[in-house]
Amino acid sequence: MAEVSSMKQAVDVLLKKGLSKREILTNVDNSHFPFEDEEVVMTFIDLQIECSSDDEFNKLVEYLYGFNLNQ
């Protein structure tokens, strides 16, 4: 499993694994990840840690969709 040290790296790993932005958003708060790929599951766990607050979750949305949520 590749080391994932930030939200952006986690998102990049998941996108490269073929997940859509919607799949990332809908699975980030799951307690069970419906994926066979261990790297995907471990990356989601890392992403959950990165997005443990509303502010961090907003950063995830902003990173995925390019929204400026601070306006």
Side-chain angles (χ1 to χ4, degrees):
M1 147 93 191
E3 286 296 317
V4 177
S5 61
S6 74
M7 178 188 305
K8 290 179 181 181
Q9 287 177 317
V11 169
D12 290 343
V13 166
L14 295 171
L15 290 172
K16 286 178 184 171
K17 288 286 189 171
L19 276 74
S20 69
K21 294 175 182 180
R22 181 178 181 154
E23 287 174 310
I24 293 170
L25 281 181
T26 57
N27 282 290
V28 73
D29 284 330
N30 283 351
S31 60
H32 170 74
F33 302 104
F35 303 101
E36 297 295 322
D37 187 319
E38 183 179 346
E39 185 175 13
V40 169
V41 173
M42 296 306 292
T43 303
F44 265 117
I45 291 169
D46 290 339
L47 190 57
Q48 275 186 334
I49 294 166
E50 291 286 331
C51 295
S52 59
S53 71
D54 286 346
D55 287 340
E56 295 301 320
F57 186 81
N58 289 345
K59 289 179 186 176
L60 173 62
V61 173
E62 185 175 352
Y63 182 65
L64 283 172
Y65 292 100
F67 298 149
N68 186 350
L69 301 175
N70 295 325
Q71 292 181 344

